Amino acid sequence: MRENALNNLSLKPRGLEAAKETANKLNVKELVRSLSEIEPKNRVVAFRLLDKNKAIAVFEYMTPDKQADLIREMENPEVMTIIEALDPDDRVKLFEELPAQITKRLIANLSPKARSAVNLLLGYPERSAGRLMSLRYLAVYNHITADAALTAVRECNLRDDELEMVFLIDSERFYRGFIRTVRLVKVNPETPIETLLDGANIAVRATDTGMHAAQTLKDFDLPAVPVVDNEGRLLGDITFDDVIDLIQEEAAEAALSQAGVGNLLSRDKVWSDRLIKGNAWYSIRLRILFLIITLIGGMLVGGLIEQFEEVLENVVAAAIFIPLVMDMGGNVGTQSTTIFARGLAWNHIDVNKIAPYLFREVSIGAIMGVILGITAGTISYFWQGAPNGVPLLGLAVGISLFCVVTLGSFLGGIIPWIMLKLGFDHGPGADPFITTIKDFTGLWLYFSLVTLLLGVEG
């Protein structure tokens, strides 16, 4: 296991200078990995130690979700310095990860040029070529010579990987084709560039899907594909770096769809995002709705206990084990719902073939029920003896625990599955149903057994 390079740095005031010197000596990849592994409160402090250029390079290398986490913890002025340094398409990817209110504030604080570029990209649909395209490209007029085109290559401020192709446009910015930069070096400098162009018909529209752009890159074996508007004017270009995340997402979704859980997981992600990052009132409304179910269930359980009031008066010791019966089933149910959620997230559960999973979960629950029932029943007998002269209170406790533990395992698997199939969010909704059903059923069984086995009137 690799050691985190930032763990040994002192992030307290007295040690910041030494920490700054050490952190800035680390390479970008090592810093990105180390930052992602330390606590959020220390992550921001460590990031602020970096020199401006190193910080920008590290930020650019981070995934959009990690960038968003860092932005939330930073102050506006230093945030804007970093965001202004990003390419427009990278800014858009970051903004897609942030809440709408933060995104609006950041866009408003951008320079007019940067704001215009971001608004242009955000004006296209998600996953479209227009949303994914880069606005950093080199275009020259189609009437110049090869030497003039090479001069444009030398004088532009694009990175080497952004200069593999030069696009040709006419005086009205209509796309006419491209030429590979390496070819410009080999030809006679006085050669009209229009005689060298290639790919006059190779382009994607901004409204095309990102996957169409990726397929075009693959089909023609190009380092970049031009993006044009509906009339054919050049807008930007797309490289494999721009669409690699989309390709991975599409591949994952295709695999999950074949497994029968693609739509469920996509929907589950949306629910999670709204509950964690969305409006607080949405979370309150949704959660309190299900808690009202628990409230009603609690009232029903209270009514049930009232029906067995005489049993409690005759066998006072029976009341001691009510919390045990209720809590044990609840804990098992919570365990099962957590296991279900994790299994769903990691594609370990096939929701179209739930029976094998349920059989396994109920079997495990039954075995745990036997162990817990025998243990609790034995303790109950030696603790409370034989109320009414009949040594069967321990048996009532043991059988009840076996039943509620088994029932909790079953409900913890079946209720989230039913809610998913019906289109409801099982995150905040499963436990209230489990609690209500389990408490009512478990206590009814317990009191019925006490009444039957101890020979008292209910």
Side-chain angles (χ1 to χ4, degrees):
M1 181 183 241
R2 292 179 299 178
E3 184 181 356
N4 190 319
L6 300 180
N7 275 341
N8 296 326
L9 300 184
S10 173
L11 299 180
K12 296 180 180 180
R14 290 184 178 178
L16 287 183
E17 282 302 318
K20 181 176 181 177
E21 183 179 350
T22 303
N24 280 287
K25 289 180 181 178
L26 300 174
N27 63 54
V28 171
K29 289 185 179 180
E30 181 68 9
L31 279 168
V32 170
R33 183 185 69 82
S34 299
L35 283 170
S36 67
E37 293 174 353
I38 62 178
E39 296 180 8
K41 63 179 181 180
N42 290 333
R43 188 177 305 151
V44 177
V45 177
F47 185 80
R48 285 175 173 149
L49 296 177
L50 303 177
D51 296 334
K52 179 181 175 181
N53 291 336
K54 178 66 75 75
I56 291 172
V58 168
F59 193 83
E60 287 179 335
Y61 202 84
M62 288 178 166
T63 58
D65 58 321
K66 296 296 184 185
Q67 290 177 340
D69 289 341
L70 196 60
I71 289 293
R72 290 189 185 94
E73 301 294 330
M74 294 172 68
E75 297 174 2
N76 201 56
E78 59 182 329
V79 164
M80 297 314 303
T81 300
I82 293 172
I83 291 179
E84 285 280 358
L86 295 176
D87 291 341
D89 54 324
D90 290 330
R91 286 193 206 108
V92 169
K93 290 176 184 176
L94 167 61
F95 290 160
E96 287 175 341
E97 295 289 333
L98 291 168
Q101 290 180 336
I102 296 179
T103 295
K104 288 179 181 177
R105 188 184 77 236
L106 294 177
I107 291 177
N109 289 328
L110 287 171
S111 65
K113 182 179 179 180
R115 189 186 314 127
S116 176
V118 167
N119 286 332
L120 171 66
L121 299 185
L122 288 174
Y124 293 105
E126 288 187 28
R127 297 192 173 194
S128 67
R131 179 71 73 91
L132 298 169
M133 69 181 174
S134 170
L135 301 181
R136 291 175 58 85
Y137 61 92
L138 178 61
V140 299
Y141 290 115
N142 60 338
H143 57 74
I144 65 174
T145 64
D147 184 56
L150 270 176
T151 299
V153 171
R154 294 189 194 100
E155 293 179 351
C156 77
N157 60 357
L158 298 180
R159 300 188 303 265
D160 291 349
D161 61 324
E162 296 170 332
L163 287 171
E164 294 184 59
M165 293 170 64
V166 177
F167 299 112
L168 277 63
I169 56 175
D170 63 18
S171 58
E172 296 181 347
R173 292 196 60 80
F174 283 100
Y175 170 71
R176 295 305 179 201
F178 65 79
I179 182 171
R180 293 178 186 264
T181 307
V182 67
R183 192 177 181 196
L184 289 175
V185 179
K186 295 181 178 181
V187 301
N188 187 313
E190 300 303 320
T191 304
I193 196 172
E194 194 167 24
T195 64
L196 304 172
L197 69 81
D198 196 1
N201 298 317
I202 300 176
V204 296
R205 295 190 183 277
T207 51
D208 290 340
T209 65
M211 287 304 293
H212 176 66
Q215 190 63 45
T216 303
L217 285 166
K218 178 178 179 294
D219 291 344
F220 293 97
D221 192 23
L222 297 173
V225 61
V227 181
V228 298
D229 64 16
N230 288 333
E231 295 180 343
R233 291 183 177 85
L234 184 64
L235 295 173
D237 70 354
I238 285 182
T239 67
F240 266 113
D241 285 344
D242 297 319
V243 293
I244 188 64
D245 290 339
L246 179 63
I247 293 172
Q248 292 174 340
E249 289 175 12
E250 293 278 351
E253 288 179 7
L256 292 172
S257 294
Q258 290 178 357
V261 297
N263 291 334
L264 293 176
L265 288 182
S266 177
R267 190 169 55 189
D268 208 44
K269 182 180 178 181
V270 172
W271 285 333
S272 177
D273 186 69
R274 292 188 70 185
L275 282 171
I276 295 173
K277 300 179 182 178
N279 187 285
W281 280 110
Y282 167 80
S283 181
I284 292 170
R285 287 196 307 271
L286 181 63
R287 292 170 67 175
I288 205 166
L289 173 65
F290 292 114
L291 290 174
I292 287 173
I293 296 171
T294 306
L295 179 65
I296 295 171
M299 296 295 185
L300 292 174
V301 170
L304 176 68
I305 294 174
E306 186 179 27
Q307 293 297 314
F308 287 93
E309 188 175 356
E310 292 185 17
V311 174
L312 292 174
E313 289 177 355
N314 292 328
V315 186
V316 177
I320 294 173
F321 301 102
I322 292 177
L324 177 66
V325 174
M326 295 175 68
D327 292 346
M328 192 64 72
N331 289 334
V332 173
T334 299
Q335 286 180 342
S336 294
T337 56
T338 303
I339 291 169
F340 179 90
R342 184 184 294 166
L344 184 69
W346 287 98
N347 196 24
H348 295 154
I349 295 175
D350 185 346
V351 292
N352 292 323
K353 297 178 181 178
I354 197 66
Y357 166 74
L358 275 181
F359 178 78
R360 170 185 167 84
E361 190 63 20
V362 172
S363 298
I364 291 173
I367 293 172
M368 293 191 302
V370 169
I371 296 171
L372 293 170
I374 292 174
T375 303
T378 303
I379 294 173
S380 300
Y381 171 72
F382 285 105
W383 181 13
Q384 295 298 323
N388 289 11
V390 182
L392 295 176
L393 178 59
L395 184 59
V397 172
I399 294 175
S400 298
L401 272 188
F402 166 77
C403 292
V404 295
V405 169
T406 306
L407 178 64
S409 298
F410 173 73
L411 293 175
I414 195 67
I415 288 182
W417 177 78
I418 292 173
M419 295 186 73
L420 276 175
K421 285 294 187 179
L422 294 177
F424 294 107
D425 188 352
H426 65 95
D431 280 349
F433 282 108
I434 294 171
T435 298
T436 300
I437 297 172
K438 174 268 309 172
D439 283 354
F440 190 88
T441 305
L443 282 182
W444 175 82
L445 176 64
Y446 174 60
F447 283 126
S448 297
L449 286 171
V450 171
T451 301
L452 176 66
L453 295 175
L454 275 67
V456 295
E457 295 297 326

PDB file of all heavy atoms in Angstrom, residues 79-107:
ATOM      1  N   VAL A  79     -11.364  30.683  -5.725  1.00  0.00           N
ATOM      2  CA  VAL A  79     -12.093  29.794  -6.629  1.00  0.00           C
ATOM      3  C   VAL A  79     -12.074  30.368  -8.043  1.00  0.00           C
ATOM      4  O   VAL A  79     -11.808  29.667  -9.022  1.00  0.00           O
ATOM      5  CB  VAL A  79     -13.553  29.608  -6.156  1.00  0.00           C
ATOM      6  CG1 VAL A  79     -14.407  29.015  -7.266  1.00  0.00           C
ATOM      7  CG2 VAL A  79     -13.597  28.695  -4.940  1.00  0.00           C
ATOM      8  N   MET A  80     -12.359  31.667  -8.170  1.00  0.00           N
ATOM      9  CA  MET A  80     -12.455  32.293  -9.484  1.00  0.00           C
ATOM     10  C   MET A  80     -11.116  32.272 -10.213  1.00  0.00           C
ATOM     11  O   MET A  80     -11.064  32.109 -11.436  1.00  0.00           O
ATOM     12  CB  MET A  80     -12.965  33.734  -9.358  1.00  0.00           C
ATOM     13  CG  MET A  80     -14.380  33.845  -8.792  1.00  0.00           C
ATOM     14  SD  MET A  80     -15.571  32.684  -9.532  1.00  0.00           S
ATOM     15  CE  MET A  80     -15.430  33.104 -11.276  1.00  0.00           C
ATOM     16  N   THR A  81     -10.018  32.406  -9.485  1.00  0.00           N
ATOM     17  CA  THR A  81      -8.696  32.351 -10.112  1.00  0.00           C
ATOM     18  C   THR A  81      -8.483  31.009 -10.796  1.00  0.00           C
ATOM     19  O   THR A  81      -7.974  30.933 -11.917  1.00  0.00           O
ATOM     20  CB  THR A  81      -7.592  32.578  -9.056  1.00  0.00           C
ATOM     21  OG1 THR A  81      -7.775  33.851  -8.450  1.00  0.00           O
ATOM     22  CG2 THR A  81      -6.216  32.497  -9.687  1.00  0.00           C
ATOM     23  N   ILE A  82      -8.892  29.943 -10.119  1.00  0.00           N
ATOM     24  CA  ILE A  82      -8.719  28.596 -10.666  1.00  0.00           C
ATOM     25  C   ILE A  82      -9.690  28.351 -11.815  1.00  0.00           C
ATOM     26  O   ILE A  82      -9.309  27.829 -12.873  1.00  0.00           O
ATOM     27  CB  ILE A  82      -8.919  27.550  -9.557  1.00  0.00           C
ATOM     28  CG1 ILE A  82      -7.791  27.672  -8.524  1.00  0.00           C
ATOM     29  CG2 ILE A  82      -8.963  26.149 -10.130  1.00  0.00           C
ATOM     30  CD1 ILE A  82      -7.987  26.833  -7.292  1.00  0.00           C
ATOM     31  N   ILE A  83     -10.947  28.732 -11.647  1.00  0.00           N
ATOM     32  CA  ILE A  83     -11.960  28.469 -12.668  1.00  0.00           C
ATOM     33  C   ILE A  83     -11.660  29.238 -13.951  1.00  0.00           C
ATOM     34  O   ILE A  83     -11.859  28.726 -15.054  1.00  0.00           O
ATOM     35  CB  ILE A  83     -13.369  28.806 -12.131  1.00  0.00           C
ATOM     36  CG1 ILE A  83     -13.753  27.806 -11.045  1.00  0.00           C
ATOM     37  CG2 ILE A  83     -14.404  28.796 -13.244  1.00  0.00           C
ATOM     38  CD1 ILE A  83     -15.106  28.060 -10.432  1.00  0.00           C
ATOM     39  N   GLU A  84     -11.160  30.467 -13.817  1.00  0.00           N
ATOM     40  CA  GLU A  84     -10.805  31.254 -15.000  1.00  0.00           C
ATOM     41  C   GLU A  84      -9.699  30.567 -15.806  1.00  0.00           C
ATOM     42  O   GLU A  84      -9.609  30.738 -17.021  1.00  0.00           O
ATOM     43  CB  GLU A  84     -10.338  32.654 -14.585  1.00  0.00           C
ATOM     44  CG  GLU A  84     -11.450  33.589 -14.153  1.00  0.00           C
ATOM     45  CD  GLU A  84     -12.184  34.222 -15.332  1.00  0.00           C
ATOM     46  OE1 GLU A  84     -11.805  33.961 -16.493  1.00  0.00           O
ATOM     47  OE2 GLU A  84     -13.140  34.974 -15.088  1.00  0.00           O
ATOM     48  N   ALA A  85      -8.847  29.786 -15.130  1.00  0.00           N
ATOM     49  CA  ALA A  85      -7.730  29.128 -15.811  1.00  0.00           C
ATOM     50  C   ALA A  85      -8.145  27.851 -16.533  1.00  0.00           C
ATOM     51  O   ALA A  85      -7.378  27.318 -17.337  1.00  0.00           O
ATOM     52  CB  ALA A  85      -6.627  28.810 -14.791  1.00  0.00           C
ATOM     53  N   LEU A  86      -9.337  27.344 -16.258  1.00  0.00           N
ATOM     54  CA  LEU A  86      -9.796  26.113 -16.893  1.00  0.00           C
ATOM     55  C   LEU A  86     -10.247  26.368 -18.324  1.00  0.00           C
ATOM     56  O   LEU A  86     -10.687  27.461 -18.675  1.00  0.00           O
ATOM     57  CB  LEU A  86     -10.965  25.513 -16.109  1.00  0.00           C
ATOM     58  CG  LEU A  86     -10.697  25.018 -14.688  1.00  0.00           C
ATOM     59  CD1 LEU A  86     -12.004  24.545 -14.058  1.00  0.00           C
ATOM     60  CD2 LEU A  86      -9.672  23.885 -14.695  1.00  0.00           C
ATOM     61  N   ASP A  87     -10.154  25.343 -19.156  1.00  0.00           N
ATOM     62  CA  ASP A  87     -10.760  25.416 -20.480  1.00  0.00           C
ATOM     63  C   ASP A  87     -12.273  25.472 -20.333  1.00  0.00           C
ATOM     64  O   ASP A  87     -12.822  24.907 -19.378  1.00  0.00           O
ATOM     65  CB  ASP A  87     -10.373  24.190 -21.313  1.00  0.00           C
ATOM     66  CG  ASP A  87      -8.894  24.197 -21.684  1.00  0.00           C
ATOM     67  OD1 ASP A  87      -8.282  25.276 -21.611  1.00  0.00           O
ATOM     68  OD2 ASP A  87      -8.372  23.123 -22.040  1.00  0.00           O
ATOM     69  N   PRO A  88     -12.989  26.120 -21.277  1.00  0.00           N
ATOM     70  CA  PRO A  88     -14.447  26.237 -21.155  1.00  0.00           C
ATOM     71  C   PRO A  88     -15.166  24.911 -20.976  1.00  0.00           C
ATOM     72  O   PRO A  88     -16.084  24.798 -20.155  1.00  0.00           O
ATOM     73  CB  PRO A  88     -14.844  26.911 -22.474  1.00  0.00           C
ATOM     74  CG  PRO A  88     -13.645  27.705 -22.859  1.00  0.00           C
ATOM     75  CD  PRO A  88     -12.471  26.883 -22.423  1.00  0.00           C
ATOM     76  N   ASP A  89     -14.757  23.868 -21.720  1.00  0.00           N
ATOM     77  CA  ASP A  89     -15.436  22.582 -21.592  1.00  0.00           C
ATOM     78  C   ASP A  89     -15.188  21.954 -20.226  1.00  0.00           C
ATOM     79  O   ASP A  89     -16.067  21.283 -19.671  1.00  0.00           O
ATOM     80  CB  ASP A  89     -15.025  21.614 -22.706  1.00  0.00           C
ATOM     81  CG  ASP A  89     -13.515  21.438 -22.806  1.00  0.00           C
ATOM     82  OD1 ASP A  89     -12.789  22.417 -22.594  1.00  0.00           O
ATOM     83  OD2 ASP A  89     -13.062  20.317 -23.110  1.00  0.00           O
ATOM     84  N   ASP A  90     -13.990  22.199 -19.647  1.00  0.00           N
ATOM     85  CA  ASP A  90     -13.711  21.690 -18.301  1.00  0.00           C
ATOM     86  C   ASP A  90     -14.525  22.449 -17.252  1.00  0.00           C
ATOM     87  O   ASP A  90     -14.943  21.881 -16.245  1.00  0.00           O
ATOM     88  CB  ASP A  90     -12.220  21.790 -17.981  1.00  0.00           C
ATOM     89  CG  ASP A  90     -11.390  20.813 -18.796  1.00  0.00           C
ATOM     90  OD1 ASP A  90     -11.922  19.740 -19.142  1.00  0.00           O
ATOM     91  OD2 ASP A  90     -10.225  21.119 -19.103  1.00  0.00           O
ATOM     92  N   ARG A  91     -14.736  23.753 -17.483  1.00  0.00           N
ATOM     93  CA  ARG A  91     -15.588  24.527 -16.571  1.00  0.00           C
ATOM     94  C   ARG A  91     -16.997  23.956 -16.570  1.00  0.00           C
ATOM     95  O   ARG A  91     -17.629  23.830 -15.516  1.00  0.00           O
ATOM     96  CB  ARG A  91     -15.649  25.991 -17.014  1.00  0.00           C
ATOM     97  CG  ARG A  91     -14.412  26.802 -16.754  1.00  0.00           C
ATOM     98  CD  ARG A  91     -14.703  28.286 -16.923  1.00  0.00           C
ATOM     99  NE  ARG A  91     -13.472  28.998 -17.283  1.00  0.00           N
ATOM    100  CZ  ARG A  91     -13.232  29.492 -18.474  1.00  0.00           C
ATOM    101  NH1 ARG A  91     -14.143  29.401 -19.432  1.00  0.00           N
ATOM    102  NH2 ARG A  91     -12.107  30.117 -18.728  1.00  0.00           N
ATOM    103  N   VAL A  92     -17.498  23.641 -17.746  1.00  0.00           N
ATOM    104  CA  VAL A  92     -18.866  23.119 -17.849  1.00  0.00           C
ATOM    105  C   VAL A  92     -18.993  21.793 -17.107  1.00  0.00           C
ATOM    106  O   VAL A  92     -19.963  21.556 -16.392  1.00  0.00           O
ATOM    107  CB  VAL A  92     -19.268  22.962 -19.331  1.00  0.00           C
ATOM    108  CG1 VAL A  92     -20.569  22.165 -19.451  1.00  0.00           C
ATOM    109  CG2 VAL A  92     -19.439  24.332 -19.971  1.00  0.00           C
ATOM    110  N   LYS A  93     -18.014  20.912 -17.249  1.00  0.00           N
ATOM    111  CA  LYS A  93     -18.044  19.628 -16.535  1.00  0.00           C
ATOM    112  C   LYS A  93     -18.070  19.855 -15.024  1.00  0.00           C
ATOM    113  O   LYS A  93     -18.753  19.144 -14.290  1.00  0.00           O
ATOM    114  CB  LYS A  93     -16.836  18.777 -16.923  1.00  0.00           C
ATOM    115  CG  LYS A  93     -16.879  18.257 -18.346  1.00  0.00           C
ATOM    116  CD  LYS A  93     -15.602  17.503 -18.697  1.00  0.00           C
ATOM    117  CE  LYS A  93     -15.600  17.060 -20.160  1.00  0.00           C
ATOM    118  NZ  LYS A  93     -14.322  16.405 -20.534  1.00  0.00           N
ATOM    119  N   LEU A  94     -17.306  20.853 -14.560  1.00  0.00           N
ATOM    120  CA  LEU A  94     -17.301  21.183 -13.132  1.00  0.00           C
ATOM    121  C   LEU A  94     -18.658  21.720 -12.705  1.00  0.00           C
ATOM    122  O   LEU A  94     -19.215  21.296 -11.685  1.00  0.00           O
ATOM    123  CB  LEU A  94     -16.213  22.213 -12.842  1.00  0.00           C
ATOM    124  CG  LEU A  94     -16.259  22.903 -11.476  1.00  0.00           C
ATOM    125  CD1 LEU A  94     -16.111  21.889 -10.351  1.00  0.00           C
ATOM    126  CD2 LEU A  94     -15.179  23.975 -11.375  1.00  0.00           C
ATOM    127  N   PHE A  95     -19.218  22.642 -13.467  1.00  0.00           N
ATOM    128  CA  PHE A  95     -20.497  23.254 -13.107  1.00  0.00           C
ATOM    129  C   PHE A  95     -21.626  22.224 -13.054  1.00  0.00           C
ATOM    130  O   PHE A  95     -22.574  22.371 -12.283  1.00  0.00           O
ATOM    131  CB  PHE A  95     -20.863  24.362 -14.106  1.00  0.00           C
ATOM    132  CG  PHE A  95     -19.986  25.585 -14.008  1.00  0.00           C
ATOM    133  CD1 PHE A  95     -19.884  26.489 -15.055  1.00  0.00           C
ATOM    134  CD2 PHE A  95     -19.235  25.834 -12.857  1.00  0.00           C
ATOM    135  CE1 PHE A  95     -19.081  27.616 -14.960  1.00  0.00           C
ATOM    136  CE2 PHE A  95     -18.427  26.954 -12.756  1.00  0.00           C
ATOM    137  CZ  PHE A  95     -18.343  27.844 -13.808  1.00  0.00           C
ATOM    138  N   GLU A  96     -21.528  21.193 -13.878  1.00  0.00           N
ATOM    139  CA  GLU A  96     -22.554  20.141 -13.873  1.00  0.00           C
ATOM    140  C   GLU A  96     -22.563  19.366 -12.564  1.00  0.00           C
ATOM    141  O   GLU A  96     -23.561  18.735 -12.217  1.00  0.00           O
ATOM    142  CB  GLU A  96     -22.332  19.183 -15.050  1.00  0.00           C
ATOM    143  CG  GLU A  96     -22.703  19.793 -16.396  1.00  0.00           C
ATOM    144  CD  GLU A  96     -22.363  18.878 -17.557  1.00  0.00           C
ATOM    145  OE1 GLU A  96     -21.527  17.963 -17.356  1.00  0.00           O
ATOM    146  OE2 GLU A  96     -22.917  19.063 -18.650  1.00  0.00           O
ATOM    147  N   GLU A  97     -21.452  19.408 -11.832  1.00  0.00           N
ATOM    148  CA  GLU A  97     -21.360  18.688 -10.561  1.00  0.00           C
ATOM    149  C   GLU A  97     -21.784  19.543  -9.371  1.00  0.00           C
ATOM    150  O   GLU A  97     -21.969  19.027  -8.273  1.00  0.00           O
ATOM    151  CB  GLU A  97     -19.920  18.199 -10.332  1.00  0.00           C
ATOM    152  CG  GLU A  97     -19.431  17.165 -11.327  1.00  0.00           C
ATOM    153  CD  GLU A  97     -20.111  15.824 -11.139  1.00  0.00           C
ATOM    154  OE1 GLU A  97     -20.539  15.531 -10.009  1.00  0.00           O
ATOM    155  OE2 GLU A  97     -20.226  15.079 -12.129  1.00  0.00           O
ATOM    156  N   LEU A  98     -21.924  20.847  -9.579  1.00  0.00           N
ATOM    157  CA  LEU A  98     -22.231  21.764  -8.476  1.00  0.00           C
ATOM    158  C   LEU A  98     -23.716  22.074  -8.413  1.00  0.00           C
ATOM    159  O   LEU A  98     -24.418  22.024  -9.428  1.00  0.00           O
ATOM    160  CB  LEU A  98     -21.453  23.071  -8.657  1.00  0.00           C
ATOM    161  CG  LEU A  98     -19.934  23.003  -8.490  1.00  0.00           C
ATOM    162  CD1 LEU A  98     -19.288  24.293  -8.991  1.00  0.00           C
ATOM    163  CD2 LEU A  98     -19.563  22.762  -7.032  1.00  0.00           C
ATOM    164  N   PRO A  99     -24.230  22.406  -7.217  1.00  0.00           N
ATOM    165  CA  PRO A  99     -25.625  22.850  -7.111  1.00  0.00           C
ATOM    166  C   PRO A  99     -25.873  24.084  -7.975  1.00  0.00           C
ATOM    167  O   PRO A  99     -24.977  24.897  -8.203  1.00  0.00           O
ATOM    168  CB  PRO A  99     -25.772  23.182  -5.613  1.00  0.00           C
ATOM    169  CG  PRO A  99     -24.697  22.398  -4.934  1.00  0.00           C
ATOM    170  CD  PRO A  99     -23.556  22.343  -5.911  1.00  0.00           C
ATOM    171  N   ALA A 100     -27.109  24.242  -8.442  1.00  0.00           N
ATOM    172  CA  ALA A 100     -27.455  25.314  -9.376  1.00  0.00           C
ATOM    173  C   ALA A 100     -27.121  26.699  -8.812  1.00  0.00           C
ATOM    174  O   ALA A 100     -26.632  27.575  -9.543  1.00  0.00           O
ATOM    175  CB  ALA A 100     -28.937  25.229  -9.737  1.00  0.00           C
ATOM    176  N   GLN A 101     -27.367  26.903  -7.514  1.00  0.00           N
ATOM    177  CA  GLN A 101     -27.122  28.225  -6.925  1.00  0.00           C
ATOM    178  C   GLN A 101     -25.636  28.594  -6.968  1.00  0.00           C
ATOM    179  O   GLN A 101     -25.277  29.737  -7.265  1.00  0.00           O
ATOM    180  CB  GLN A 101     -27.629  28.266  -5.476  1.00  0.00           C
ATOM    181  CG  GLN A 101     -29.153  28.232  -5.366  1.00  0.00           C
ATOM    182  CD  GLN A 101     -29.618  28.272  -3.927  1.00  0.00           C
ATOM    183  OE1 GLN A 101     -28.882  27.896  -3.022  1.00  0.00           O
ATOM    184  NE2 GLN A 101     -30.849  28.725  -3.717  1.00  0.00           N
ATOM    185  N   ILE A 102     -24.776  27.625  -6.664  1.00  0.00           N
ATOM    186  CA  ILE A 102     -23.333  27.889  -6.702  1.00  0.00           C
ATOM    187  C   ILE A 102     -22.885  28.135  -8.141  1.00  0.00           C
ATOM    188  O   ILE A 102     -22.092  29.045  -8.412  1.00  0.00           O
ATOM    189  CB  ILE A 102     -22.548  26.708  -6.086  1.00  0.00           C
ATOM    190  CG1 ILE A 102     -22.887  26.562  -4.593  1.00  0.00           C
ATOM    191  CG2 ILE A 102     -21.046  26.896  -6.279  1.00  0.00           C
ATOM    192  CD1 ILE A 102     -22.182  25.414  -3.922  1.00  0.00           C
ATOM    193  N   THR A 103     -23.418  27.352  -9.075  1.00  0.00           N
ATOM    194  CA  THR A 103     -23.057  27.514 -10.484  1.00  0.00           C
ATOM    195  C   THR A 103     -23.419  28.903 -10.988  1.00  0.00           C
ATOM    196  O   THR A 103     -22.619  29.574 -11.658  1.00  0.00           O
ATOM    197  CB  THR A 103     -23.767  26.450 -11.335  1.00  0.00           C
ATOM    198  OG1 THR A 103     -23.287  25.149 -10.965  1.00  0.00           O
ATOM    199  CG2 THR A 103     -23.492  26.665 -12.815  1.00  0.00           C
ATOM    200  N   LYS A 104     -24.627  29.364 -10.661  1.00  0.00           N
ATOM    201  CA  LYS A 104     -25.058  30.698 -11.106  1.00  0.00           C
ATOM    202  C   LYS A 104     -24.136  31.786 -10.558  1.00  0.00           C
ATOM    203  O   LYS A 104     -23.788  32.737 -11.260  1.00  0.00           O
ATOM    204  CB  LYS A 104     -26.501  30.951 -10.652  1.00  0.00           C
ATOM    205  CG  LYS A 104     -27.536  30.136 -11.412  1.00  0.00           C
ATOM    206  CD  LYS A 104     -28.940  30.418 -10.900  1.00  0.00           C
ATOM    207  CE  LYS A 104     -29.962  29.586 -11.654  1.00  0.00           C
ATOM    208  NZ  LYS A 104     -31.343  29.796 -11.132  1.00  0.00           N
ATOM    209  N   ARG A 105     -23.740  31.659  -9.289  1.00  0.00           N
ATOM    210  CA  ARG A 105     -22.877  32.655  -8.680  1.00  0.00           C
ATOM    211  C   ARG A 105     -21.500  32.671  -9.346  1.00  0.00           C
ATOM    212  O   ARG A 105     -20.943  33.733  -9.632  1.00  0.00           O
ATOM    213  CB  ARG A 105     -22.724  32.383  -7.182  1.00  0.00           C
ATOM    214  CG  ARG A 105     -21.998  33.493  -6.436  1.00  0.00           C
ATOM    215  CD  ARG A 105     -21.765  33.161  -4.996  1.00  0.00           C
ATOM    216  NE  ARG A 105     -20.666  32.234  -4.818  1.00  0.00           N
ATOM    217  CZ  ARG A 105     -20.747  31.065  -4.193  1.00  0.00           C
ATOM    218  NH1 ARG A 105     -21.890  30.663  -3.685  1.00  0.00           N
ATOM    219  NH2 ARG A 105     -19.691  30.281  -4.075  1.00  0.00           N
ATOM    220  N   LEU A 106     -20.972  31.473  -9.620  1.00  0.00           N
ATOM    221  CA  LEU A 106     -19.650  31.393 -10.240  1.00  0.00           C
ATOM    222  C   LEU A 106     -19.672  31.934 -11.665  1.00  0.00           C
ATOM    223  O   LEU A 106     -18.749  32.645 -12.083  1.00  0.00           O
ATOM    224  CB  LEU A 106     -19.162  29.935 -10.226  1.00  0.00           C
ATOM    225  CG  LEU A 106     -18.882  29.329  -8.850  1.00  0.00           C
ATOM    226  CD1 LEU A 106     -18.489  27.868  -8.979  1.00  0.00           C
ATOM    227  CD2 LEU A 106     -17.786  30.105  -8.120  1.00  0.00           C
ATOM    228  N   ILE A 107     -20.712  31.605 -12.427  1.00  0.00           N
ATOM    229  CA  ILE A 107     -20.816  32.111 -13.803  1.00  0.00           C
ATOM    230  C   ILE A 107     -20.904  33.633 -13.811  1.00  0.00           C
ATOM    231  O   ILE A 107     -20.289  34.311 -14.637  1.00  0.00           O
ATOM    232  CB  ILE A 107     -22.032  31.487 -14.524  1.00  0.00           C
ATOM    233  CG1 ILE A 107     -21.784  29.991 -14.762  1.00  0.00           C
ATOM    234  CG2 ILE A 107     -22.304  32.189 -15.849  1.00  0.00           C
ATOM    235  CD1 ILE A 107     -22.958  29.262 -15.405  1.00  0.00           C
TER     236      ILE A 107
END
